Amino acid sequence: MDVTTDAAVPWLIVGLGNPGPEYAGNRHNVGFMVADLLAERIGGRFKRAGKAQAQVVEGRIGPPGPMSRRVVLAKPMSYMNLSGGPVNALRDFYKVPVAHVVAIHDELDIDYGMLRLKLGGGDNGHNGLKSMTKAFGADYHRVRFGIGRPPGRMPVADFVLRDFSSAERKELDYFVDRAADAVECLVIEGLERAQSTYNS
């Protein structure tokens, strides 16, 4: 059965990032930014999720009726390289199949602001994905938000843990908004429709 056809099965939408105000504007935290916007759209506020090391918002995405989807938005409060544990705990608690997990994350190999949506695949050196794949396998959806490559010889770790540049910030709200639209399209209409509309 197509993963998007059963409206009763919840979706777990995970924004990846690092907790703490010092990381809030980092490129590595763009997943948190998209999750925050999605929470705002459904009128919810993140709160601590019981024993899980994460913050969650529960709600629905989509118009009322058969197209509406139950979602759990999550931000792991572990550091990025330990994301798999909290996400798997939430997945077990809410009884979410792996194919109904969506990870929103930064992607070095895509130009800034561009999106790629896919199901499954490798982690491409992304520690958050690596941890999730180790915890419950690779067959989850990814919404990859392009941040581009580091300039010159800047180490990747330094680049991803820096804030977006002033030039990038001028367009950041637009790109975050578009990524949130892509997540909603994926959950409501399926991967193929979301890819044809948002993959750039």
Side-chain angles (χ1 to χ4, degrees):
M1 180 174 63
D2 186 277
V3 291
T4 60
T5 56
D6 187 351
V9 179
W11 286 79
L12 177 58
I13 300 170
V14 182
L16 291 178
N18 286 307
E22 67 272 34
Y23 298 106
N26 289 179
R27 294 181 178 93
H28 222 21
N29 270 43
V30 73
F32 274 18
M33 297 175 197
V34 178
D36 284 339
L37 179 56
L38 287 165
E40 192 180 304
R41 288 184 180 184
I42 66 174
R45 295 185 65 173
F46 279 100
K47 59 181 186 292
R48 197 65 139 181
K51 294 180 181 177
Q53 201 176 0
Q55 292 183 353
V56 298
V57 176
E58 296 179 54
R60 299 193 80 85
I61 282 177
M67 297 298 282
S68 176
R69 298 288 182 263
R70 182 180 162 219
V71 297
V72 179
L73 305 175
K75 296 191 296 185
M77 291 289 109
S78 60
Y79 285 96
M80 179 72 85
N81 61 341
L82 300 173
S83 300
V87 175
N88 204 32
L90 292 173
R91 199 180 67 76
D92 286 344
F93 180 78
Y94 288 102
K95 298 178 170 53
V96 178
V98 174
H100 272 232
V101 176
V102 181
I104 311 164
H105 64 92
D106 57 306
E107 178 58 65
L108 288 159
D109 288 335
I110 302 173
D111 289 342
Y112 172 61
M114 300 294 101
L115 298 174
R116 295 277 196 289
L117 288 80
K118 69 173 188 173
L119 175 63
D123 56 59
N124 204 23
H126 192 287
N127 288 330
L129 299 182
K130 194 175 295 183
S131 180
M132 287 176 61
T133 296
K134 185 177 179 183
F136 51 83
D139 295 331
Y140 53 92
H141 288 84
R142 298 101 190 276
V143 175
R144 304 157 72 203
F145 186 109
I147 60 169
R149 301 294 304 184
R153 296 185 178 182
M154 183 188 293
V156 165
D158 290 350
F159 180 68
V160 300
L161 292 175
R162 287 192 181 180
D163 287 0
F164 287 99
S165 70
S166 56
E168 288 170 334
R169 284 198 295 272
K170 290 176 183 174
E171 296 182 291
L172 183 59
D173 286 350
Y174 168 76
F175 289 137
V176 168
D177 193 69
R178 191 166 181 270
D181 289 346
V183 172
E184 291 181 346
C185 184
L186 167 63
V187 169
I188 297 165
E189 301 186 62
L191 179 61
E192 286 187 17
R193 173 61 66 88
Q195 287 175 324
S196 66
T197 305
Y198 294 98
N199 275 15
S200 46

